[in-house]
Amino acid sequence: MFSSIVITNYDAYEPYISSYTMNIHYNKHYKKYLDNLNNLLSKYNYEYSKEELVKNIDIFPIEERDNILFNLGGVLNHELFFNNLGYGQMSEELKNKIDEDFGSFDDFKKEFIKQANLLIGSGYTFLVLNKDNNLEIINVANQDTPISYDLIPIMNLDLWEHAYYLDYQNDRKDYINNFFSIIDFSKVSKIYEEIQKNI
Ligand SMILES: [Fe+2]
């Protein structure tokens, strides 16, 4: 049984994401994925973390794997997204790595925004670390998780309509641009640095 992350400050990202959207996103969408996941897993015994379950999805009967993976991805992707919202500063270590892999922070930002605008349908744009320990920006559809592709998620942007439609309607472009005003780069840096310590 996995427990919920806690969010109480729904208005923390106004005016870029409204309190109303945050409330629904967390209480309805995220918690629904978590409830579905816990229900699906309730009849099994396992001692895996959520990330390990992605890697070991074949322990479940084949007819249940898609449904488990969809809800597991829904939980993992939302927990990362909510984690990377905020206003913290980037560490020198991550800043240097971004300069190394993208040229500069501005180039990274341009590439992230470009990829987000290219995503068709529901999904996420992710900053990930690949097998060579280099940063990449990728899009995933629906609730796919980069963990399935042996990539380590560092940061993401939720591009499902439920994440922005109440605030932006069809102006997805504005939602994507505004995301860069509400990224907690201190938390993104922390994830990056933890991975470096364990390599
Ligand atoms: Fe979402």
Side-chain angles (χ1 to χ4, degrees):
M1 178 106 177
F2 294 114
S3 53
S4 164
I5 57 163
V6 177
I7 294 180
T8 50
N9 54 342
Y10 303 127
D11 61 352
Y13 316 113
E14 296 259 12
Y16 305 115
I17 299 175
S18 69
S19 174
Y20 187 53
T21 292
M22 276 304 293
N23 191 335
I24 292 174
H25 203 170
Y26 169 71
N27 283 302
K28 305 281 184 197
H29 293 276
Y30 163 65
K31 288 204 173 156
K32 184 75 184 162
Y33 285 111
L34 187 65
D35 287 349
N36 287 344
L37 179 65
N38 282 328
N39 285 337
L40 285 163
L41 297 179
S42 61
K43 59 183 167 179
Y44 299 105
N45 284 318
Y46 58 89
E47 287 177 12
Y48 289 118
S49 67
K50 288 181 286 245
E51 289 81 359
E52 287 167 341
L53 276 178
V54 175
K55 298 265 189 194
N56 292 280
I57 197 70
D58 57 3
I59 63 171
F60 300 108
I62 196 158
E63 66 275 12
E64 294 207 28
R65 285 178 205 166
D66 283 355
N67 203 8
I68 292 172
L69 199 52
F70 179 75
N71 286 288
L72 183 54
V75 171
L76 282 165
N77 293 343
H78 280 102
E79 289 180 354
L80 185 66
F81 176 63
F82 292 138
N83 176 70
N84 61 225
L85 293 179
Y87 304 95
Q89 296 294 307
M90 190 182 292
S91 69
E92 279 301 304
E93 197 178 338
L94 180 59
K95 196 181 165 301
N96 291 338
K97 184 63 177 162
I98 282 179
D99 288 349
E100 198 183 309
D101 291 352
F102 297 100
S104 67
F105 177 80
D106 282 348
D107 290 323
F108 156 69
K109 182 177 168 179
K110 255 183 235 160
E111 182 61 21
F112 194 97
I113 289 173
K114 185 180 145 195
Q115 288 300 326
N117 281 300
L118 285 171
L119 182 99
I120 294 166
S122 295
Y124 295 77
T125 298
F126 270 90
L127 176 65
V128 298
L129 269 174
N130 65 22
K131 281 185 206 162
D132 301 324
N133 197 34
N134 291 324
L135 293 167
E136 271 182 43
I137 296 164
I138 63 155
N139 286 335
V140 301
N142 300 312
Q143 294 297 359
D144 270 9
T145 163
I147 300 168
S148 296
Y149 311 114
D150 287 330
L151 299 166
I152 306 173
I154 305 287
M155 168 184 125
N156 72 14
L157 170 60
D158 189 338
L159 288 164
W160 283 58
E161 282 191 347
H162 67 235
Y164 66 87
Y165 203 83
L166 292 167
D167 300 332
Y168 293 87
Q169 290 78 52
N170 60 336
D171 290 331
R172 193 171 85 144
K173 216 169 188 273
D174 288 350
Y175 166 68
I176 291 168
N177 287 330
N178 285 342
F179 174 57
F180 272 81
S181 300
I182 45 166
I183 300 173
D184 189 340
F185 276 112
S186 68
K187 289 194 185 156
V188 180
S189 302
K190 214 170 157 188
I191 293 176
Y192 172 73
E193 281 156 30
E194 279 303 311
I195 296 161
Q196 300 313 304
K197 269 186 223 159
N198 296 323
I199 283 175

